[in-house]
């Protein structure tokens, strides 16, 4: 370690999905092993890590803007090192373009070689520029402990990569094929988190429902969930994402029978028209999807269902779009993440004819959001007057006099209470509903 780097501080900026966030935590932990303590203050940092996302062009533009801004800090503080990692760097052919655009960056690294990051930091400290992006996945970083001990909520990867190749999506190209972690490694990581104070775990995979298919074992995601549910001290167990094509009755029944398994399914529909679903290579029809929803509601009537939807996929007609609105009407999602289709270079959809003009995409997105906001409010209104278990996360950011937490269905709740309740499950009576939150009151006893 270079002597000139004492009392070193790191800021990590994470963009994108929960997987990307988990990678950012791993990079922060590796930097801690190299002697860096965490700060939020960019001005006093010796190392700034930007873990990137490239799922949509808007995310890329935002990140490029941030990297550009950091040039000013580097001019003020020449000992500052900047590392840019993750999906954006991993895109085929991206590295050269990025290096040309941001020569002030010291370390460029992709999604596959996280395990090398400590070595890259040491090289940068010796004023060497590093640019290493492996084409294939490197050794999995097993159960990398989290830098921040005593976290209430944590994400645990159960698999990396994706085999589905939806035609709009860059993920399989930047995260490789699906690789499931061994059950014993996942359980060990979850156990350690609980020992350090964690009460809520989210199991992460691009498609959790296909967990284990690449391992030589007759053990599936439902079996894994049952095992995680046996860990004493864990209060809430969440999971995402569920690809509808692989959502089994066994999984729904396992969630129904679980002690701490949250009755919440994040089941991206992406589009409501069979023609568009086919062109997206989603491998299910709207009829099949609606049948899965019916099954969930038959087995767990109170379960919360959320989704992802893309508007303006190439060739989407007004009739196709109406079919998406119709799905929203039929399913009653508690929440939907809605996106305008974004052309991703190297994916099949980027070359499809009939790309949809931006103004049409914008109009459809607004229409979709208006409908979903009404639906989300309706969903929350149905919760009024009832009591729900809520894990207290601490004082609300927007109103420090109130506490916040989430229900098992992942609904955000704000309520008055003692900050010492952080980390405990309380019963909250729901009093007022808004599109994104509920206001409530703790029930004693
Ligand atoms: N594996 C998950 C799945 O199958 O739904 C999520 C992957 S992706 C990180 C999260 C969401 O981004 C997707 O569900 C999709 O709605 C959206 N998305 C992916 N590629 C996109 C694109 N090219 N344009 C717009 N939205 C996109
Ligand atoms: Fe992308 Fe489809 Fe894989 Fe999800 S399932 S990561 S949308 S390719």
């Amino acid at each position: 370690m270079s002597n000139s780097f004492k009392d070193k501080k790191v800021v990590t900026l994470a963009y994108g999905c929960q997987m990307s966030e988990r990678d950012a935590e791993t990079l922060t932990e590796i930097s801690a092993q190299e002697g860096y303590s965490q700060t939020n203050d960019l001005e006093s940092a010796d190392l700034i890590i930007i873990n990137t996302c490239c799922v949509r062009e808007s995310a890329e533009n935002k990140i490029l803007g941030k990297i550009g801004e950091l040039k000013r800090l580097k001019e003020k503080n020449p000992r500052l090192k900047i590392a840019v990692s993750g999906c954006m760097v991993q895109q085929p052919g991206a590295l050269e373009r990025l290096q040309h655009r941001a020569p002030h960056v010291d370390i460029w690294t992709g999604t596959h070689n996280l395990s090398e990051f400590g070595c890259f930091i040491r090289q940068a400290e010796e004023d060497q520029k590093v640019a290493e992006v492996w084409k294939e996945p490197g050794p999995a970083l097993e159960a990398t402990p989290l830098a921040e001990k005593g976290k209430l909520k944590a994400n645990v990867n159960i698999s990396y990569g994706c085999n589905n190749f939806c035609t709009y999506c860059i993920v399989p190209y930047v995260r490789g094929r699906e690789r499931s972690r061994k059950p014993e490694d996942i359980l060990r990581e979850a156990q350690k988190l609980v020992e350090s104070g964690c009460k809520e775990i989210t199991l992460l995979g691009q498609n959790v429902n296909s967990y284990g298919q690449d391992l030589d074992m007759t053990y599936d995601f439902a079996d894994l969930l049952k095992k995680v549910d046996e860990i004493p001290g864990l209060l809430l167990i969440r999971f995402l994402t569920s690809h509808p094509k692989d959502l089994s009755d066994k999984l729904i029944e396992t969630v129904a029978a679980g002690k701490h398994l949250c009755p919440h399914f994040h089941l991206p529909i992406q589009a409501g028209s069979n023609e568009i679903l086919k062109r997206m290579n989603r491998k299910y029809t709207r009829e099949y999807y609606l049948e899965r929803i019916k099954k969930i509601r038959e087995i767990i009537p109170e379960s919360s269902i959320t989704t992802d939807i893309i508007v303006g996929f190439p060739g989407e007609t007004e009739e196709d779009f109406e079919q998406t609105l119709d799905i929203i009407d039929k399913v009653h999602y508690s929440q939907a993440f809605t996106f305008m289709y974004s052309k991703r270079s190297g994916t099949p959809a980027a070359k499809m004819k009939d790309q949809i003009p931006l103004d049409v995409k914008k109009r459809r997105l607004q229409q979709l959001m208006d409908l979903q906001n009404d639906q989300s409010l309706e969903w929350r209104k149905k919760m009024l007057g009832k009591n729900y278990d809520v894990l207290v996360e601490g004082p609300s950011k927007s109103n420090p006099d109130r506490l916040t937490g989430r229900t098992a269905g992942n609904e955000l709740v704000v309520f008055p209470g003692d900050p010492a309740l952080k980390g405990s499950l309380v019963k909250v009576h729901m009093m007022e509903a808004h599109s994104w939150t509920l206001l409530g009151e703790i029930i004693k006893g």
Side-chain angles (χ1 to χ4, degrees), residues 59-350:
E60 275 199 296
N61 288 341
K62 195 165 150 194
I63 297 164
L64 286 170
K66 192 75 201 173
I67 298 173
E69 273 174 37
L70 297 183
K71 196 169 171 197
R72 178 189 61 83
L73 286 182
K74 184 106 179 159
E75 283 160 3
K76 266 172 64 183
N77 172 14
R79 80 176 211 160
L80 169 66
K81 303 296 173 199
I82 300 172
V84 180
S85 55
C87 290
M88 209 164 120
V89 191
Q90 189 70 44
Q91 290 175 96
L95 179 61
E96 224 168 85
R97 178 171 48 86
L98 289 167
Q99 279 178 304
H100 182 71
R101 188 167 170 154
H104 56 290
V105 170
D106 300 279
I107 302 172
W108 295 101
T109 180
T111 55
H112 294 325
N113 49 340
L114 298 187
S115 56
E116 302 284 288
F117 195 59
C119 174
F120 297 163
I121 293 177
R122 272 171 264 139
Q123 284 173 264
E125 286 177 348
E126 301 294 340
D127 291 330
Q128 292 173 38
K129 291 269 183 190
V130 183
E132 261 204 57
V133 180
W134 293 357
K135 283 207 170 68
E136 298 298 325
L141 277 183
E142 275 313 334
T144 313
L146 295 172
E148 207 182 314
K149 302 280 184 280
K151 272 181 98 172
L152 197 62
K153 297 161 52 150
N155 293 327
V156 172
N157 288 318
I158 65 163
S159 60
Y160 303 101
C162 182
N163 289 347
N164 290 310
F165 289 94
C166 303
T167 53
Y168 50 81
C169 184
I170 194 78
V171 170
Y173 306 90
V174 292
R175 293 208 165 254
R177 295 299 77 71
E178 185 172 278
R179 288 126 24 231
S180 302
R181 289 177 69 197
K182 291 194 207 114
E184 57 269 30
D185 291 331
I186 296 166
L187 293 168
R188 194 178 313 118
E189 182 176 355
Q191 179 71 51
K192 275 193 185 161
L193 283 164
V194 173
E195 283 162 16
S196 79
C198 181
K199 301 277 189 286
E200 174 182 325
I201 279 181
T202 303
L203 302 174
L204 294 181
Q206 294 297 347
N207 178 12
V208 290
N209 297 340
S210 55
Y211 170 77
Q213 288 177 8
D214 56 320
L215 296 178
D216 190 15
M217 59 178 195
T218 50
Y219 190 93
D220 64 13
F221 180 55
D223 298 318
L224 179 69
L225 268 185
K226 282 183 208 159
K227 286 282 174 207
V228 178
D229 200 18
E230 285 168 13
I231 298 176
L234 209 44
L235 298 180
L236 295 175
I237 300 156
R238 305 185 191 277
F239 55 90
L240 54 116
T241 294
S242 278
H243 196 305
K245 78 179 167 65
D246 298 313
L247 177 70
S248 66
D249 289 359
K250 179 179 169 186
L251 178 66
I252 306 170
E253 281 153 10
T254 301
V255 172
K259 291 192 294 278
H260 303 288
L261 304 180
C262 293
H264 169 212
F265 294 82
H266 183 60
L267 211 59
I269 174 89
Q270 309 297 1
S273 130
N274 282 339
E275 179 54 31
I276 298 296
L277 286 171
K278 199 159 145 205
R279 287 155 62 90
M280 285 179 161
N281 193 30
R282 287 293 287 178
K283 302 190 182 91
Y284 53 81
T285 59
R286 58 182 277 125
E287 292 77 19
Y288 168 85
Y289 183 91
L290 289 171
E291 183 280 323
R292 291 287 76 196
I293 299 288
K294 193 163 159 243
K295 193 77 189 177
I296 295 174
R297 297 236 154 101
E298 256 168 39
I299 301 180
I300 318 174
E302 76 282 10
S303 82
S304 155
I305 301 175
T306 55
T307 199
D308 292 349
I309 301 178
I310 298 175
V311 296
F313 184 80
E316 185 187 65
T317 61
E318 283 305 316
E319 290 72 33
D320 291 322
F321 176 58
E322 291 292 331
Q323 297 270 293
T324 298
L325 297 178
D326 181 61
I327 285 276
I328 300 252
D329 253 342
K330 288 198 161 77
V331 176
H332 302 289
Y333 295 110
S334 58
Q335 199 180 352
F337 299 89
T338 51
F339 311 105
M340 281 191 287
Y341 167 72
S342 169
K343 212 171 171 181
R344 301 288 68 205
S345 156
T347 61

